[in-house]
Amino acid sequence: MSRTAIRPKFAKAQRTISASALGMSRRVWGSRSSQQALSDLAKIAEITHALHRQTSVKNVLYTGISELGKYMQVSRTVGAQGKGAGQTAVEFCSPGAPQSSPQALARLLSLVSQQTLDPESGLVLEAQRTPALKEADAQSLLAIPLIDKEKDEQTGLIALVQADRHRAW
């Protein structure tokens, strides 16, 4: 085989992989340009690298929610690991957003835990349709389950919270 026969096949494979990766990014982050999609993928790689440097589950959870909260530019990001009394919850607040009171955080986690979280699309709640969300100091919320793939069960959740306005997720 000559080099020219190999090169077009390789170039085609590269385009296929890039298109597939961009398609995945668009599905996760919405309709975005190719440049924005590449930027999203780069940020995902940065966050993943930061997570791998952590030494405890709580540090992984806090790093993940803080990086996600910064990138998504939300008021607060809440992460919870475990269930019941043994649950660990951490919160990241954007600059200018007040930290939730323990009661508001408990109400928020209770409200989300009463709902069914779809592993593919998560759960979106709006204060107009869910008055209890206002009691938890939130106008709009996107909750995503944390899944243990080996056991195929939910082990926690991440909630992105917009406190000051409605947000289209």
Coordinates of all heavy atoms in Angstrom, one line a residue, residues 32-69:
R32 N -24.4 24.5 20.1 CA -23.3 25.4 20.2 C -22.4 25.3 18.9 O -22.5 24.3 18.2 CB -22.4 25.0 21.4 CG -23.1 25.3 22.7 CD -22.3 24.8 23.8 NE -22.7 25.6 25.0 CZ -21.9 26.3 25.7 NH1 -20.6 26.4 25.5 NH2 -22.3 27.0 26.7
S33 N -21.6 26.3 18.7 CA -20.7 26.2 17.5 C -19.6 25.2 17.7 O -19.4 24.8 18.9 CB -20.1 27.6 17.3 OG -19.1 27.9 18.3
S34 N -18.9 24.9 16.7 CA -17.8 23.9 16.8 C -16.7 24.4 17.7 O -16.2 23.7 18.5 CB -17.1 23.7 15.4 OG -18.1 23.1 14.6
Q35 N -16.4 25.7 17.7 CA -15.4 26.3 18.6 C -15.8 26.2 20.0 O -15.0 25.9 20.9 CB -15.1 27.8 18.2 CG -13.9 28.4 18.9 CD -12.6 27.7 18.6 OE1 -12.4 27.2 17.5 NE2 -11.8 27.6 19.5
Q36 N -17.1 26.5 20.3 CA -17.6 26.4 21.7 C -17.6 24.9 22.1 O -17.3 24.6 23.3 CB -19.0 26.9 21.8 CG -19.1 28.4 21.6 CD -20.5 28.9 21.5 OE1 -21.3 28.3 20.8 NE2 -20.8 30.0 22.2
A37 N -17.9 24.0 21.2 CA -17.9 22.6 21.6 C -16.5 22.1 21.9 O -16.3 21.4 22.9 CB -18.5 21.8 20.4
L38 N -15.5 22.6 21.1 CA -14.1 22.2 21.5 C -13.7 22.8 22.8 O -13.0 22.2 23.6 CB -13.2 22.6 20.3 CG -13.3 21.8 19.0 CD1 -12.5 22.5 17.9 CD2 -13.0 20.4 19.2
S39 N -14.1 24.0 23.1 CA -13.8 24.6 24.3 C -14.5 23.8 25.5 O -13.9 23.7 26.5 CB -14.4 26.1 24.3 OG -14.2 26.7 25.6
D40 N -15.7 23.4 25.3 CA -16.4 22.6 26.3 C -15.6 21.3 26.5 O -15.4 20.9 27.7 CB -17.8 22.2 25.8 CG -18.8 23.4 25.8 OD1 -18.5 24.4 26.4 OD2 -19.8 23.2 25.2
L41 N -15.2 20.6 25.5 CA -14.4 19.4 25.6 C -13.1 19.6 26.4 O -12.7 18.8 27.2 CB -14.2 18.7 24.3 CG -15.4 18.2 23.6 CD1 -15.1 17.7 22.2 CD2 -16.0 17.0 24.4
A42 N -12.4 20.7 26.1 CA -11.2 21.1 26.8 C -11.5 21.3 28.3 O -10.7 20.9 29.1 CB -10.6 22.3 26.1
K43 N -12.6 22.0 28.6 CA -12.9 22.2 30.0 C -13.2 20.9 30.7 O -12.8 20.7 31.8 CB -14.1 23.2 30.1 CG -14.4 23.6 31.5 CD -13.2 24.3 32.1 CE -13.5 24.7 33.6 NZ -12.3 25.3 34.2
I44 N -13.9 20.0 30.0 CA -14.2 18.7 30.6 C -12.9 18.0 30.9 O -12.7 17.4 32.0 CB -15.1 17.9 29.7 CG1 -16.5 18.4 29.6 CG2 -15.1 16.4 30.1 CD1 -17.3 17.9 28.5
A45 N -11.9 18.1 30.0 CA -10.6 17.4 30.3 C -9.9 18.1 31.5 O -9.3 17.4 32.3 CB -9.7 17.5 29.0
E46 N -10.0 19.4 31.6 CA -9.4 20.1 32.7 C -10.0 19.7 34.0 O -9.3 19.4 35.0 CB -9.6 21.6 32.6 CG -8.6 22.4 31.8 CD -9.0 23.9 31.8 OE1 -9.2 24.4 32.9 OE2 -9.0 24.4 30.7
I47 N -11.4 19.6 34.1 CA -12.1 19.2 35.3 C -11.7 17.8 35.6 O -11.4 17.5 36.8 CB -13.6 19.4 35.1 CG1 -14.0 20.8 35.0 CG2 -14.3 18.7 36.3 CD1 -15.4 21.1 34.6
T48 N -11.6 16.9 34.7 CA -11.3 15.5 34.9 C -9.9 15.4 35.5 O -9.6 14.7 36.5 CB -11.4 14.7 33.6 OG1 -12.7 14.8 33.1 CG2 -11.0 13.2 33.8
H49 N -9.0 16.2 35.0 CA -7.6 16.2 35.5 C -7.6 16.7 36.9 O -6.9 16.1 37.8 CB -6.7 17.1 34.6 CG -5.3 17.1 35.0 ND1 -4.4 16.0 34.9 CD2 -4.5 18.1 35.6 CE1 -3.2 16.3 35.3 NE2 -3.3 17.5 35.7
A50 N -8.3 17.7 37.2 CA -8.4 18.2 38.6 C -9.0 17.2 39.5 O -8.5 17.0 40.7 CB -9.2 19.5 38.6
L51 N -10.0 16.4 39.1 CA -10.6 15.4 39.9 C -9.6 14.3 40.2 O -9.6 13.7 41.4 CB -11.8 14.8 39.3 CG -13.0 15.7 39.1 CD1 -14.1 15.1 38.3 CD2 -13.5 16.2 40.4
H52 N -8.8 13.9 39.3 CA -7.8 12.8 39.5 C -6.7 13.2 40.5 O -6.1 12.3 41.1 CB -7.2 12.4 38.1 CG -8.0 11.5 37.3 ND1 -8.3 10.2 37.6 CD2 -8.8 11.8 36.2 CE1 -9.1 9.7 36.7 NE2 -9.4 10.7 35.9
R53 N -6.5 14.5 40.7 CA -5.5 14.9 41.7 C -6.0 14.9 43.1 O -5.2 15.0 44.0 CB -5.0 16.3 41.3 CG -4.2 16.4 40.1 CD -3.5 17.7 39.9 NE -4.5 18.8 40.1 CZ -4.9 19.6 39.1 NH1 -4.4 19.5 37.9 NH2 -5.7 20.6 39.3
Q54 N -7.3 14.7 43.3 CA -7.8 14.7 44.7 C -7.6 13.4 45.4 O -7.4 12.3 44.8 CB -9.3 15.0 44.6 CG -9.6 16.3 43.9 CD -8.9 17.5 44.4 OE1 -8.8 17.7 45.6 NE2 -8.2 18.2 43.5
T55 N -7.5 13.5 46.8 CA -7.2 12.3 47.6 C -8.3 11.7 48.4 O -8.1 10.7 49.0 CB -6.0 12.7 48.6 OG1 -6.5 13.8 49.4 CG2 -4.8 13.1 47.8
S56 N -9.5 12.4 48.4 CA -10.6 11.8 49.2 C -11.9 12.0 48.4 O -12.0 12.9 47.5 CB -10.7 12.5 50.5 OG -11.2 13.8 50.4
V57 N -12.9 11.3 48.7 CA -14.2 11.4 48.1 C -14.8 12.8 48.2 O -15.3 13.4 47.3 CB -15.2 10.3 48.6 CG1 -16.6 10.5 48.0 CG2 -14.7 8.9 48.2
K58 N -14.7 13.3 49.4 CA -15.2 14.7 49.7 C -14.5 15.7 48.8 O -15.1 16.6 48.3 CB -15.1 15.0 51.2 CG -15.9 16.3 51.5 CD -16.0 16.5 53.0 CE -16.9 17.7 53.3 NZ -17.1 17.9 54.7
N59 N -13.2 15.6 48.7 CA -12.4 16.5 47.9 C -12.8 16.4 46.4 O -12.9 17.4 45.7 CB -10.9 16.3 48.0 CG -10.4 16.9 49.4 OD1 -11.1 17.6 50.1 ND2 -9.2 16.5 49.7
V60 N -13.0 15.2 45.9 CA -13.4 14.9 44.6 C -14.8 15.6 44.3 O -15.0 16.3 43.3 CB -13.5 13.4 44.2 CG1 -14.2 13.2 42.9 CG2 -12.1 12.8 44.2
L61 N -15.7 15.4 45.3 CA -17.0 16.0 45.2 C -17.0 17.5 45.1 O -17.6 18.1 44.3 CB -17.9 15.5 46.3 CG -19.4 15.8 46.3 CD1 -20.1 15.3 45.0 CD2 -20.1 15.3 47.5
Y62 N -16.2 18.1 46.1 CA -16.2 19.5 46.1 C -15.5 20.1 44.9 O -16.0 21.1 44.3 CB -15.5 20.0 47.4 CG -15.5 21.5 47.4 CD1 -16.6 22.2 47.8 CD2 -14.4 22.3 47.0 CE1 -16.7 23.6 47.8 CE2 -14.4 23.7 47.0 CZ -15.6 24.3 47.4 OH -15.7 25.7 47.3
T63 N -14.4 19.5 44.4 CA -13.7 20.0 43.3 C -14.6 19.9 42.0 O -14.7 20.8 41.2 CB -12.4 19.2 43.0 OG1 -11.6 19.3 44.1 CG2 -11.7 19.6 41.7
G64 N -15.3 18.8 41.9 CA -16.2 18.6 40.8 C -17.3 19.6 40.8 O -17.6 20.3 39.7
I65 N -18.0 19.9 41.9 CA -19.1 20.8 41.9 C -18.6 22.3 41.8 O -19.3 23.1 41.1 CB -20.0 20.7 43.2 CG1 -19.3 21.0 44.4 CG2 -20.6 19.3 43.2 CD1 -20.2 21.4 45.5
S66 N -17.5 22.6 42.3 CA -17.0 24.0 42.2 C -16.6 24.3 40.8 O -16.9 25.3 40.2 CB -15.8 24.3 43.2 OG -14.7 23.4 42.9
E67 N -15.9 23.3 40.1 CA -15.5 23.5 38.7 C -16.7 23.6 37.8 O -16.8 24.4 36.9 CB -14.5 22.4 38.3 CG -13.2 22.5 38.9 CD -12.4 23.7 38.5 OE1 -12.5 24.2 37.4 OE2 -11.6 24.2 39.4
L68 N -17.7 22.7 38.1 CA -18.9 22.7 37.2 C -19.7 24.0 37.5 O -20.2 24.6 36.5 CB -19.7 21.5 37.6 CG -20.9 21.2 36.7 CD1 -20.6 21.1 35.3 CD2 -21.6 20.0 37.2
G69 N -19.8 24.4 38.7 CA -20.5 25.7 39.0 C -19.9 26.9 38.4 O -20.6 27.7 37.8

